[in-house]
Amino acid sequence: MRRTNVILFLFLSLFILLSMSASVKCNKTPSSKEFEAQKFPPCAACKILINSFKKGIERTSREKFDGGDSAWEEDKLGSYSKSETRLIEIQEHLCEEVERGKIQCQTLAEELENKIEDWWFNYQQIHPDIYDYICIQQTESCCPKDHFGPQCKPCPGFPDKICNNNGKCKGAGTRKGNGKCSCDKGYEKDDCSECAIGFYESYKDENKLLCSQCHNACDGACKGPGPKNCEKCTEGWHILDGQGCFDIDECLKSDEYCSKNQFCINKEGGYTCLNCDVACDGCTGDGPDMCINCADGYREKNNLCINSDLLGRKQQENVARYATYLGLCTATCIIFQRNIYIASVIGLLVGIYISVSEYMIAHSNVQDTTANVDILGPA
């Protein structure tokens, strides 16, 4: 029996270790080498290479002067602008700054070395855009903007209303994809020309369609903004013919929705139950003045549920405070019999002290908690 338990324990330990190992492996952050080994589709890989080449052109311009356009280069860089020396300098650092797909970029650079050199020496004037020349024409990895597929067909709505400007053409710019529209949220149909269910047509002209979301009271379609234009209401709303959706006030029957020591707050399409104040045993709202009954340890005074211990303690504090005031006044009267001037000054200070003390007490948190109730008065 003991041997069986040991075997079972070892088996469970091995299972836990393997699970932890798998978890660590799943949560492992890719290393820089993994990023470098990442592979992209042909068009994306070609773009990465050409972008790196363009950065090389910018870098070699700055190294000679402070940069400029092609005309500036011709004027300032002279023969260097299209020289073999400059091309070699660019190619030596090609793909260095690439983090993702670096190995693929370097491999592609070797494969396209002759085509790049051919463009550099022979076709810069005819085809100033190296991306168009290499990626679209020579390698046929990509398509022109807003074209898709092996034959680079134009996307729906080409040239100025691609998917009615409310979506994206699948495969645009690549030799992949089917050219169908992937509509933005709120739009539908093959060319994104209509509002989807749950949205309404808020603006439309010959060039633009704008769809806005229906009110949250609507269950599905609507004819316009607000709850009055709903064709059907969601839960928490009820519909009136010709008037739309109206919020159901669940708090009218709060006993059915909230527990005894909670109160109900109605909101659009629903409700919220909040806990009563600690002083309450059942309530109709927030605060000790909204109690139906007072909780244990509290008693009602002027429609407030007040902590009984606090009430007694405050009574003692008030008695001590008034006794202090009485003592100060008595001392002032005794001094007054001997020296009227000193007594006047002391009396003034005592008056200021009492006034400031009462003002601070009246605005203290304790007084706020008891709503400035005179707790010395009759219960």
Side-chain angles (χ1 to χ4, degrees):
M1 182 69 179
R2 182 176 296 177
R3 183 178 180 183
T4 303
N5 290 337
V6 171
I7 294 173
L8 181 61
F9 174 76
L10 292 174
F11 177 78
L12 290 174
S13 300
L14 179 61
F15 177 77
I16 293 171
L17 289 173
L18 290 173
S19 299
M20 292 175 63
S21 176
S23 176
V24 170
K25 188 174 182 180
C26 290
N27 296 327
K28 182 182 177 183
T29 303
S31 64
S32 59
K33 289 185 178 180
E34 290 174 325
F35 280 137
E36 291 177 358
Q38 188 174 353
K39 289 190 176 182
F40 292 92
C43 182
C46 191
K47 284 182 179 179
I48 292 172
L49 172 63
I50 297 305
N51 286 338
S52 180
F53 190 89
K54 289 180 178 180
K55 289 179 181 178
I57 293 176
E58 294 176 4
R59 183 180 62 254
T60 52
S61 296
R62 290 194 302 269
E63 287 174 356
K64 293 295 180 181
F65 299 96
D66 290 331
D69 55 23
S70 57
W72 179 91
E73 285 191 2
E74 290 288 342
D75 182 46
K76 296 294 183 181
L77 299 181
S79 59
Y80 173 77
S81 65
K82 297 179 181 178
S83 67
E84 183 178 2
T85 302
R86 188 182 186 187
L87 176 61
I88 293 173
E89 290 177 3
I90 294 172
Q91 289 179 320
E92 283 179 349
H93 300 283
L94 206 55
C95 303
E96 279 187 356
E97 80 288 351
V98 176
E99 295 181 358
R100 294 176 179 266
K102 186 173 186 176
I103 296 175
Q104 185 184 27
C105 179
Q106 292 170 338
T107 302
L108 189 60
E110 293 178 2
E111 294 175 0
L112 300 179
E113 183 177 358
N114 292 334
K115 294 183 183 298
I116 292 174
E117 290 178 357
D118 194 30
W119 173 84
W120 182 264
F121 294 116
N122 302 315
Y123 292 99
Q124 281 198 64
Q125 295 292 341
I126 304 173
H127 301 285
D129 186 355
I130 185 175
Y131 168 76
D132 179 80
Y133 180 78
I134 297 294
C135 297
I136 297 176
Q137 297 185 33
Q138 294 298 309
T139 64
E140 296 185 349
S141 301
C142 304
C143 284
K145 183 181 178 182
D146 297 328
H147 290 70
F148 72 95
Q151 285 79 41
C152 289
K153 295 179 180 179
C155 290
F158 181 83
D160 55 358
K161 289 185 68 177
I162 305 298
C163 299
N164 277 287
N165 298 320
N166 292 317
K168 294 179 176 62
C169 174
K170 293 181 179 179
T174 73
R175 300 275 171 164
K176 305 291 184 180
N178 54 17
K180 291 184 178 180
C181 291
S182 175
C183 299
D184 297 335
K185 183 180 179 181
Y187 300 87
E188 62 179 9
K189 298 300 180 183
D190 292 342
D191 56 353
C192 308
S193 59
E194 295 184 11
C195 295
I197 295 176
F199 291 79
Y200 66 93
E201 189 178 287
S202 56
Y203 178 82
K204 185 177 183 179
D205 60 20
E206 294 180 356
N207 300 312
K208 186 173 182 61
L209 169 67
L210 180 62
C211 297
S212 300
Q213 192 164 9
C214 296
H215 192 272
N216 57 13
C218 302
D219 183 10
C222 65
K223 300 175 183 177
K228 66 179 181 179
N229 285 301
C230 299
E231 295 184 5
K232 186 180 177 182
C233 301
T234 58
E235 185 178 357
W237 300 78
H238 63 93
I239 194 164
L240 295 178
D241 292 340
Q243 299 183 51
C245 295
F246 287 82
D247 177 47
I248 298 173
D249 189 354
E250 293 87 354
C251 294
L252 295 176
K253 298 180 180 179
S254 59
D255 293 344
E256 298 180 10
Y257 299 99
C258 299
S259 63
K260 177 184 176 182
N261 220 30
Q262 291 183 324
F263 64 95
C264 180
I265 295 180
N266 186 57
K267 59 182 182 179
E268 283 194 346
Y271 64 94
T272 299
C273 292
L274 298 179
N275 292 330
C276 296
D277 190 272
V278 293
C280 300
D281 180 17
C283 65
T284 57
D286 190 22
D289 57 332
M290 303 295 287
C291 300
I292 298 174
N293 297 302
C294 294
D296 292 340
Y298 294 82
R299 67 186 180 91
E300 184 181 353
K301 183 175 182 62
N302 294 347
N303 296 321
L304 281 173
C305 287
I306 302 172
N307 188 306
S308 301
D309 294 337
L310 176 63
L311 190 62
R313 187 164 61 251
K314 290 303 297 180
Q315 288 175 334
Q316 294 175 1
E317 290 176 358
N318 286 346
V319 170
R321 186 171 82 251
Y322 293 140
T324 301
Y325 296 161
L326 179 61
L328 290 173
C329 292
T330 301
T332 303
C333 292
I334 293 173
I335 296 172
F336 181 78
Q337 295 177 357
R338 298 187 178 185
N339 191 318
I340 188 172
Y341 299 107
I342 295 177
S344 299
V345 173
I346 294 176
L348 177 62
L349 294 175
V350 169
I352 294 173
Y353 169 76
I354 293 174
S355 299
V356 172
S357 298
E358 289 300 309
Y359 176 82
M360 293 177 66
I361 291 172
H363 291 79
S364 67
N365 291 333
V366 174
Q367 289 295 99
D368 287 340
T369 303
T370 58
N372 294 322
V373 175
D374 182 8
I375 56 178
L376 286 178

